[in-house]
Amino acid sequence: MKATCFMGRNTVQVTEVPDPKILNARDAIVKITSTAICGSDLHLVDGYVPSMIRGDILGHEFMGEVVEVGSQVKNLKVGERVVVPFPIACGVCGACQKEAYSLCENSNPNAWMAEKLWGHAGAGVFGYSHLTGGYAGGQAEYARVPFADVGPMKVPDGMTDEQVLFLSDILPTGYMGAEMCDIQPGDIVAVWGCGPVGQFAIVSALLLGAERVIAIDRFPYRLNMAREKAGAETINYEETDVLDALKEMTGGRGPDACIDAVGMEAHGHGPMYVYDRAMQAARVETDRAIALREAIMACRNGGTVSIVGVYGGFIDKFPIGSVMNRSLTIKTGQCHVHRYMKPLLERIQNGEIDPTFIITHTLPLEQAPFGYEIFKNKLDNCEKVVLKA
Ligand code: NAD
Ligand code: ZN
Ligand code: ZN
């Protein structure tokens, strides 16, 4: 089959690889119809997540048709259309019982690696480095889906791939980012990053009752989308001092909650950005926390900082004094996607959310390298690339 492979830092290639096979009784094989490129894939390709190996198949946002099932998969039949959540979860361990699916204790065969870096391991993830299990990803023609009796959700007849594809990751992720803010009537929420995750965090914060959402980025086309499609007010951080602007827009108190939808490759300007780039290049810190620091400093006393942007390792100049002295709450996590798929599917069906607004590019799988290039460099007004296998 054809698959999108990591071929070294900044190099992605679509090549022929062996077809996946059923390995365990709870596996299914899915013939992929639609898959997407995520900001998390950029962290891998840019070389910021350790343990990627040349030839690894990328991709964790995918859906398609079931073509084979293992003997213990009773809930799926060949021919059914499914969308697959990015964390791999067994459904029965302690974490899964608490619906903390991205923390599944049974799905990461390389837990020992993650334990060295993080103390404890999280779940296995499709196409997301050997730290999270070394599973083949879904930017391919087929994928093996472990624990297929738990993860994949059947797609109701009549719904397009585009309507449901983002239930695999970014819609639940944006929603969880907003849910972690514990939004109360009248709250103002600020969102750093107007990528796909940021857009869905904005939409979700408004759905969950935020009175106003203020979104921050530097690309005018992304800020326009945040304003016109998602319903936010916006700040371009290249034109305006974000902390001053947020104070002014919130009567001096700061937003009630701040969502980091940027993660470890944040961009910035001024001496702090130069410092972070140097520290990261020297491997003194693994992640540039420019947006996170700003989100912490901006948040009102007693407010919540919700981190859905991905961080890999260690950061420098973490403003713990601001967090401690001002009683901030920090909540974070890889999304527990399984928990949100059905409720969000209902919100799509009843018209509360139309997730298709973020799609700017639809390409054949063969053009994945081009998709990575425009998504990474924010070229051609690219917001989200869907690949058709
Ligand atoms: P993206 O690259 O499209 O979006 C990131 C946006 O952040 C860009 O528009 C960029 O201009 C903006 N940005 C950079 N520096 C900034 C700064 N200092 N202030 C404000 N904005 C800034 O990526 P995406 O697909 O939207 O993903 C966003 C993040 O969410 C990534 O870190 C990704 O790994 C993460 N993610 C997490 C989960 C999860 O389960 N927690 C799931 C999916 C994605
Ligand atoms: Zn993703
Ligand atoms: Zn589990």
Side-chain angles (χ1 to χ4, degrees), residues 198-261:
Q199 303 287 349
F200 287 148
I202 297 166
V203 168
S204 303
L206 290 168
L207 266 176
L208 290 171
E211 189 167 296
R212 293 163 62 198
V213 177
I214 303 167
I216 301 137
D217 205 301
R218 75 178 158 126
F219 293 101
Y221 75 94
R222 290 186 164 214
L223 292 165
N224 287 346
M225 182 179 278
R227 254 191 329 270
E228 286 159 21
K229 302 283 172 66
E233 299 160 55
T234 57
I235 299 173
N236 184 331
Y237 70 79
E238 287 198 315
E239 293 168 357
T240 310
D241 183 275
V242 175
L243 293 180
D244 286 350
L246 285 173
K247 267 196 181 152
E248 198 165 312
M249 293 165 90
T250 58
R253 292 165 72 210
D256 299 284
C258 293
I259 302 176
D260 171 354

Side-chain angles (χ1 to χ4, degrees), residues 12-311:
V12 169
Q13 249 175 44
V14 177
T15 52
E16 287 288 329
V17 302
D19 287 357
K21 291 194 181 69
I22 299 272
L23 299 181
N24 295 305
R26 292 172 69 188
D27 289 351
I29 304 291
V30 172
K31 181 179 193 302
I32 292 160
T33 51
S34 298
T35 171
I37 305 175
C38 176
S40 299
D41 295 321
L42 299 180
H43 305 322
L44 303 175
V45 171
D46 293 345
Y48 291 112
V49 178
S51 83
M52 286 298 289
I53 296 176
R54 196 181 142 87
D56 282 349
I57 301 175
L58 294 162
H60 57 268
E61 302 181 0
F62 62 95
M63 63 177 296
E65 185 189 320
V66 176
V67 290
E68 208 182 331
V69 291
S71 58
Q72 279 182 44
V73 180
K74 309 288 184 205
N75 57 318
L76 295 178
K77 287 190 197 67
V78 169
E80 284 178 334
R81 263 173 95 213
V82 291
V83 53
V84 179
F86 80 80
I88 300 171
C90 76
V92 294
C93 72
C96 285
Q97 277 177 14
K98 293 189 185 114
E99 298 194 306
Y101 297 99
S102 74
L103 303 177
C104 175
E105 293 159 355
N106 282 325
S107 61
N108 184 352
N110 297 335
W112 64 273
M113 274 191 205
E115 282 164 9
K116 286 218 158 60
L117 187 61
W118 299 328
H120 299 268
V125 174
F126 294 101
Y128 206 70
S129 87
H130 292 263
L131 271 177
T132 62
Y135 290 97
Q139 287 161 9
E141 289 180 298
Y142 296 89
R144 176 176 77 94
V145 178
F147 300 124
D149 51 335
V150 177
M153 182 182 71
K154 284 182 217 171
V155 179
D157 289 341
M159 296 189 83
T160 63
D161 279 20
E162 285 70 15
Q163 281 179 296
V164 295
L165 173 62
F166 305 132
L167 289 168
S168 61
D169 177 353
I170 52 173
L171 181 53
T173 297
Y175 187 88
M176 186 171 111
E179 192 185 64
M180 290 192 294
C181 296
D182 190 21
I183 294 168
Q184 304 298 313
D187 275 3
I188 305 178
V189 176
V191 178
W192 275 255
C194 295
V197 172
Q199 303 287 349
F200 287 148
I202 297 166
V203 168
S204 303
L206 290 168
L207 266 176
L208 290 171
E211 189 167 296
R212 293 163 62 198
V213 177
I214 303 167
I216 301 137
D217 205 301
R218 75 178 158 126
F219 293 101
Y221 75 94
R222 290 186 164 214
L223 292 165
N224 287 346
M225 182 179 278
R227 254 191 329 270
E228 286 159 21
K229 302 283 172 66
E233 299 160 55
T234 57
I235 299 173
N236 184 331
Y237 70 79
E238 287 198 315
E239 293 168 357
T240 310
D241 183 275
V242 175
L243 293 180
D244 286 350
L246 285 173
K247 267 196 181 152
E248 198 165 312
M249 293 165 90
T250 58
R253 292 165 72 210
D256 299 284
C258 293
I259 302 176
D260 171 354
V262 176
M264 64 169 89
E265 290 184 76
H267 163 270
H269 42 73
M272 208 52 209
Y273 182 55
V274 175
Y275 173 87
D276 270 307
R277 288 217 74 121
M279 289 288 129
Q280 200 177 30
R283 301 285 186 227
V284 177
E285 63 175 354
T286 54
D287 305 9
R288 304 195 292 267
I290 295 141
L292 176 57
R293 289 190 199 105
E294 200 168 74
I296 290 171
M297 299 302 274
C299 194
R300 77 151 160 82
N301 288 353
T304 298
V305 177
S306 162
I307 310 174
V308 284
V310 163
Y311 290 88

